PDB file of all heavy atoms in Angstrom:
ATOM      1  N   LYS X 449      28.847 -19.149 -12.455  1.00 94.00           N
ATOM      2  CA  LYS X 449      29.657 -18.812 -11.286  1.00 94.00           C
ATOM      3  C   LYS X 449      29.166 -17.517 -10.650  1.00 94.00           C
ATOM      4  O   LYS X 449      29.114 -17.401  -9.413  1.00 94.00           O
ATOM      5  CB  LYS X 449      31.127 -18.690 -11.685  1.00 94.00           C
ATOM      6  CG  LYS X 449      32.078 -18.531 -10.504  1.00 94.00           C
ATOM      7  CD  LYS X 449      33.528 -18.645 -10.931  1.00 94.00           C
ATOM      8  CE  LYS X 449      33.874 -20.074 -11.287  1.00 94.00           C
ATOM      9  NZ  LYS X 449      35.335 -20.232 -11.540  1.00 94.00           N
ATOM     10  N   VAL X 450      28.778 -16.526 -11.459  1.00 95.00           N
ATOM     11  CA  VAL X 450      28.257 -15.276 -10.914  1.00 95.00           C
ATOM     12  C   VAL X 450      26.933 -15.522 -10.194  1.00 95.00           C
ATOM     13  O   VAL X 450      26.686 -14.971  -9.113  1.00 95.00           O
ATOM     14  CB  VAL X 450      28.088 -14.224 -12.024  1.00 95.00           C
ATOM     15  CG1 VAL X 450      27.352 -12.995 -11.508  1.00 95.00           C
ATOM     16  CG2 VAL X 450      29.443 -13.819 -12.587  1.00 95.00           C
ATOM     17  N   ILE X 451      26.082 -16.350 -10.773  1.00 95.00           N
ATOM     18  CA  ILE X 451      24.804 -16.668 -10.133  1.00 95.00           C
ATOM     19  C   ILE X 451      25.039 -17.313  -8.772  1.00 95.00           C
ATOM     20  O   ILE X 451      24.402 -16.948  -7.770  1.00 95.00           O
ATOM     21  CB  ILE X 451      23.961 -17.587 -11.038  1.00 95.00           C
ATOM     22  CG1 ILE X 451      23.389 -16.785 -12.213  1.00 95.00           C
ATOM     23  CG2 ILE X 451      22.823 -18.238 -10.252  1.00 95.00           C
ATOM     24  CD1 ILE X 451      22.673 -17.622 -13.241  1.00 95.00           C
ATOM     25  N   ARG X 452      25.964 -18.254  -8.693  1.00 95.00           N
ATOM     26  CA  ARG X 452      26.224 -18.940  -7.421  1.00 95.00           C
ATOM     27  C   ARG X 452      26.822 -17.989  -6.391  1.00 95.00           C
ATOM     28  O   ARG X 452      26.399 -17.964  -5.235  1.00 95.00           O
ATOM     29  CB  ARG X 452      27.149 -20.134  -7.636  1.00 95.00           C
ATOM     30  CG  ARG X 452      26.456 -21.364  -8.196  1.00 95.00           C
ATOM     31  CD  ARG X 452      27.358 -22.586  -8.122  1.00 95.00           C
ATOM     32  NE  ARG X 452      27.790 -22.852  -6.777  1.00 95.00           N
ATOM     33  CZ  ARG X 452      27.046 -23.462  -5.842  1.00 95.00           C
ATOM     34  NH1 ARG X 452      25.808 -23.840  -6.142  1.00 95.00           N
ATOM     35  NH2 ARG X 452      27.515 -23.675  -4.648  1.00 95.00           N
ATOM     36  N   ARG X 453      27.805 -17.214  -6.789  1.00 95.00           N
ATOM     37  CA  ARG X 453      28.484 -16.356  -5.814  1.00 95.00           C
ATOM     38  C   ARG X 453      27.616 -15.187  -5.370  1.00 95.00           C
ATOM     39  O   ARG X 453      27.499 -14.911  -4.169  1.00 95.00           O
ATOM     40  CB  ARG X 453      29.808 -15.862  -6.401  1.00 95.00           C
ATOM     41  CG  ARG X 453      30.829 -16.986  -6.558  1.00 95.00           C
ATOM     42  CD  ARG X 453      32.173 -16.465  -7.059  1.00 95.00           C
ATOM     43  NE  ARG X 453      33.144 -17.553  -7.179  1.00 95.00           N
ATOM     44  CZ  ARG X 453      34.380 -17.396  -7.620  1.00 95.00           C
ATOM     45  NH1 ARG X 453      34.810 -16.194  -7.980  1.00 95.00           N
ATOM     46  NH2 ARG X 453      35.205 -18.434  -7.698  1.00 95.00           N
ATOM     47  N   ALA X 454      27.014 -14.483  -6.331  1.00 96.00           N
ATOM     48  CA  ALA X 454      26.142 -13.363  -5.966  1.00 96.00           C
ATOM     49  C   ALA X 454      24.902 -13.872  -5.233  1.00 96.00           C
ATOM     50  O   ALA X 454      24.420 -13.229  -4.289  1.00 96.00           O
ATOM     51  CB  ALA X 454      25.739 -12.578  -7.207  1.00 96.00           C
ATOM     52  N   GLY X 455      24.388 -15.043  -5.654  1.00 95.00           N
ATOM     53  CA  GLY X 455      23.227 -15.615  -4.983  1.00 95.00           C
ATOM     54  C   GLY X 455      23.531 -16.001  -3.550  1.00 95.00           C
ATOM     55  O   GLY X 455      22.694 -15.827  -2.654  1.00 95.00           O
ATOM     56  N   ALA X 456      24.730 -16.519  -3.299  1.00 96.00           N
ATOM     57  CA  ALA X 456      25.118 -16.872  -1.934  1.00 96.00           C
ATOM     58  C   ALA X 456      25.363 -15.623  -1.092  1.00 96.00           C
ATOM     59  O   ALA X 456      24.944 -15.548   0.067  1.00 96.00           O
ATOM     60  CB  ALA X 456      26.364 -17.748  -1.968  1.00 96.00           C
ATOM     61  N   LEU X 457      26.018 -14.626  -1.674  1.00 96.00           N
ATOM     62  CA  LEU X 457      26.342 -13.415  -0.917  1.00 96.00           C
ATOM     63  C   LEU X 457      25.086 -12.645  -0.507  1.00 96.00           C
ATOM     64  O   LEU X 457      25.039 -12.057   0.589  1.00 96.00           O
ATOM     65  CB  LEU X 457      27.259 -12.514  -1.742  1.00 96.00           C
ATOM     66  CG  LEU X 457      28.718 -12.959  -1.852  1.00 96.00           C
ATOM     67  CD1 LEU X 457      29.475 -12.084  -2.839  1.00 96.00           C
ATOM     68  CD2 LEU X 457      29.396 -12.923  -0.479  1.00 96.00           C
TER      69      LEU X 457
END
Side-chain angles (χ1 to χ4, degrees):
K449 188 171 288 187
V450 171
I451 286 174
R452 281 191 57 79
R453 291 184 179 178
L457 285 173

